[in-house]
Amino acid sequence: MLEEVERWLAARSWSAADRPLDQLLSAKRAAGTTVSVVLPALNEEATVGAIVEVIRRDLMDGPGTPLVDELVVIDSGSTDRTAEVAAKAGARVVHRDEILPRLPALPGKGEVLWRSLLVTGGDVVCFVDADLRDFSSSFVSGIVGPLLTDPEVRFVKAMYDRPLGPEFDGLGAPAAAKGHGQGGRVTELVARPLLNLHWPQLAGFVQPLGGEYAVRRDLLERLPFPVGYGVELGLLVDALHTVGLDALGQVDVGVRLHRHQDGQALGRMAAAIYRTALLRLSRGHLVRPELTQFERGPDGFVPHTYAVDTEERPPMRDVEEYARRRVA
């Protein structure tokens, strides 16, 4: 590991417990900083309501200054009761297609995160995945904390253990028997090798692909957004080049429990992340931005070919509607 990264780990890695809530509220009042929390959601009726309820109870509805000023769920086309459940729990729900309607929406998480900048107003924007189970509000307060207390910090990611539950591990053994940190397979097999080889300054991030991170708006609006699975890696790499390593940080929030993807979905995720990395290395185009996978059918293995995400949205500050909104 680079000496620079070792120093960064010591200076820019924290625990959520390092900054108690009363300290964060005091810092927020003093600076006048506003905080938006965004949950991108697609068919998450089983979990999104509980997440919204915890954030409202712990960080919004108590006496005094709220830590979170707005809580928005962006529904990216759910066919279940995600929108209804989220609204009932107390979130403002906006459908992806209602945002920037002149530009047809592309499928993908990054597309939703990019569009969320147009319907939120916080100085700090905190993204939280909507499929988390046993959710703790420290996921939000932990990663927002450094941005409220240290003006030099611009981008903070959560770090955590990711146990792989028995219903997903393929072997039937309880997660406890396998120890902590068994999830994050795409991180360990794809993202971490790419970062260590090509962006070694980012080798200290424990969860570079994690969906929980908080960023100052004035940085987010300067970054391009890959529309699909590559968004987390793309934002992290581009933030490094834009503001430097010392402006980035990470906070330990404990354990992250969520729904795991099957192997083929992970393959598509890996391809999109690899493509995002290649684009940043060469700023060129893939010769064949497709991935062929195989599934066993009645007569043997059947190939299925999927397009790899190749679209990116421009920095939000370059979008006319966003510029008008900021002036207004």
Side-chain angles (χ1 to χ4, degrees):
M1 185 177 290
L2 298 175
E3 290 186 9
E4 178 185 6
V5 177
E6 291 182 350
R7 290 193 297 270
W8 176 84
L9 275 171
R12 289 288 189 256
S13 294
W14 302 283
S15 166
D18 291 339
R19 294 175 175 84
L21 185 58
D22 58 351
Q23 177 187 352
L24 300 184
L25 292 173
S26 177
K28 182 176 186 289
R29 286 192 296 267
T33 305
T34 54
V35 177
S36 301
V37 174
V38 173
L39 276 66
L42 177 63
N43 294 329
E44 304 294 357
E45 68 172 348
T47 51
V48 68
I51 297 172
V52 170
E53 288 174 356
V54 169
I55 294 173
R56 288 214 65 99
R57 181 194 68 210
D58 294 351
L59 305 178
M60 297 183 74
D61 293 340
T65 303
L67 187 72
V68 173
D69 298 282
E70 64 176 345
L71 174 56
V72 182
V73 170
I74 310 292
D75 185 357
S76 58
S78 299
T79 56
D80 65 0
R81 298 174 55 250
T82 291
E84 177 185 345
V85 170
K88 184 176 181 181
R92 176 161 64 95
V93 179
V94 183
H95 194 282
R96 174 199 61 194
D97 296 343
E98 298 173 0
I99 308 169
L100 202 59
R102 72 167 174 85
L103 197 64
L106 295 168
K109 178 184 179 183
E111 176 83 352
V112 175
L113 301 184
W114 182 72
R115 288 176 185 258
S116 75
L117 297 182
L118 272 161
V119 293
T120 56
D123 303 312
V124 170
V125 182
C126 176
F127 298 120
V128 176
D129 282 349
D131 66 342
L132 303 187
R133 294 182 282 123
D134 296 335
F135 178 77
S136 167
S137 59
S138 63
F139 270 70
V140 173
S141 59
I143 58 178
V144 166
L147 297 167
L148 296 177
T149 59
D150 188 338
E152 295 183 357
V153 178
R154 311 292 295 281
F155 187 122
V156 179
K157 292 201 69 110
M159 57 178 168
Y160 34 66
D161 291 310
R162 294 184 64 184
L164 194 61
E167 66 269 40
F168 303 109
D169 64 17
L171 299 176
K178 294 186 171 298
H180 294 291
Q182 299 301 314
R185 291 159 286 174
V186 175
T187 293
E188 299 303 329
L189 297 175
V190 181
R192 199 176 307 285
L194 283 170
L195 293 176
N196 277 262
L197 290 170
H198 299 295
W199 296 281
Q201 287 178 299
L202 297 175
F205 276 92
V206 176
Q207 296 291 352
L209 300 185
E212 290 68 48
Y213 46 104
V215 192
R216 296 193 191 277
R217 177 177 291 271
D218 61 2
L219 173 57
L220 277 177
E221 63 188 15
R222 297 164 62 191
L223 303 179
F225 277 62
V227 301
Y229 288 127
V231 64
E232 272 80 28
L233 184 135
L235 290 177
L236 187 60
V237 168
D238 291 343
L240 172 69
H241 291 305
T242 303
V243 295
L245 181 61
D246 284 341
L248 314 181
Q250 61 184 347
V251 174
D252 187 349
V253 296
V255 178
R256 184 186 198 267
L257 300 175
H258 68 117
R259 183 186 67 252
H260 293 272
Q261 304 276 3
D262 63 34
Q264 295 220 331
L266 294 178
R268 296 190 289 275
M269 183 184 300
I273 290 165
Y274 183 59
R275 174 262 166 195
T276 300
L278 283 182
L279 185 61
R280 274 148 183 80
L281 288 169
S282 65
R283 290 298 170 183
H285 299 282
L286 292 182
V287 175
R288 182 177 180 273
E290 296 178 333
L291 174 71
T292 298
Q293 297 178 313
F294 293 88
E295 296 179 4
R296 183 180 289 279
D299 300 317
F301 287 102
V302 179
H304 296 275
T305 299
Y306 302 89
V308 174
D309 297 321
T310 57
E311 297 289 341
E312 293 199 5
R313 293 305 192 187
M316 185 56 80
R317 66 179 183 179
D318 296 338
V319 175
E320 180 182 351
E321 288 87 342
Y322 187 79
R324 289 201 304 265
R325 178 177 178 269
R326 297 293 284 174
V327 170

